[in-house]
Amino acid sequence: MNGQRLDLRLRCTSLAGNFCAELIVETFVIGPLATNSYLVINEESAMAIDPGFGSCDLLIAAADKFGATIEVIVNTHGHWDHTYENHVLMQKTGASLLIHPLDASLIEFPEQSLLSTARTPIDVQHPSTPTRTVDTGDKVELEGVLFQVLHTPGHTAGGICLISDEAGVLISGDTLFLGTYGRVDLPGGNIDDMIRSLKSLSNLNPALNVYPGHGLPTRLADELSWVGSL
């Protein structure tokens, strides 16, 4: 349902076991491909993830509701349905924009990100320039809560996941879905890379809550059986 919002409040603890904060994850299902755009809020700071078509005003309104400022935008990969409103969200909030270097050209030249096998009933000519690129081992901080970047190619060459063991959250983009994985038959996709990426996720804490790029959330523990059989 386009524009549908789901929210989840999580109590996260620091690695030392101390009370940290109430982390809020809000999901907006937007655009013609029912893409999940996320707003992650910790205290007065917010991170927008994959601001697809029709998401900008929803993300800003949600941040305002919680008295938070969108400080950073992260693209899990460069396809247009996850990046369409990068430019306007940056203009309205002044937030920085992060993406893996191998997908940076897809947002700088968005005609490259057209999905050749999907209908695209909208104009995708909205380029954006990343503030910086990120790769495995880099960290994104949200008011003291750290999200680790993990490069997970397969759906695209520059796909990434964001992981916070502290908060129990895995933002998986189009790498891992409930019961399946992202398409590998589009330009930049590769099944061998996807299998390696999924295997790397199996090394993470199985208790992580998974927020995918499309579809319903899941738990990593519930996906490990089929991932292990690949």
Side-chain angles (χ1 to χ4, degrees), residues 57-211:
D57 289 343
L58 296 171
L59 293 164
I60 290 174
D64 289 345
K65 180 179 72 173
F66 290 101
T69 300
I70 298 175
E71 298 178 349
V72 62
I73 304 162
V74 180
N75 293 154
T76 62
H77 62 289
H79 283 160
W80 68 268
D81 60 311
H82 294 256
T83 67
Y84 184 87
E85 296 200 353
N86 278 347
H87 67 298
V88 65
L89 190 58
M90 292 176 75
Q91 288 173 356
K92 290 187 175 183
T93 66
S96 57
L97 174 63
L98 313 183
I99 194 171
H100 191 275
L102 292 178
D103 271 17
S105 66
L106 296 182
I107 63 173
E108 293 172 322
F109 305 97
E111 64 276 7
Q112 296 180 11
S113 79
L114 285 171
L115 307 186
S116 58
T117 58
R119 294 190 197 89
T120 311
I122 57 175
D123 174 18
V124 299
Q125 303 302 313
H126 296 281
S128 53
T129 301
T131 308
R132 68 182 175 98
T133 57
V134 291
D135 204 343
T136 295
D138 290 331
K139 299 176 178 66
V140 182
E141 183 175 351
L142 187 63
E143 200 73 34
V145 175
L146 291 177
F147 286 82
Q148 302 275 348
V149 176
L150 179 64
H151 181 209
T152 52
H155 181 64
T156 66
I160 63 170
C161 292
L162 295 176
I163 303 120
S164 176
D165 284 316
E166 197 174 5
V169 169
L170 165 60
I171 308 289
S172 62
D174 282 7
T175 298
L176 177 66
F177 300 140
L178 174 63
T180 189
Y181 53 86
R183 293 177 62 171
V184 296
D185 61 336
L186 301 171
N190 182 285
I191 184 59
D192 294 329
D193 286 344
M194 177 62 79
I195 291 173
R196 281 190 289 270
S197 293
L198 291 167
K199 296 286 189 183
S200 71
L201 296 182
S202 70
N203 297 321
L204 302 177
N205 182 351
L208 291 172
N209 297 291
V210 179
Y211 297 92

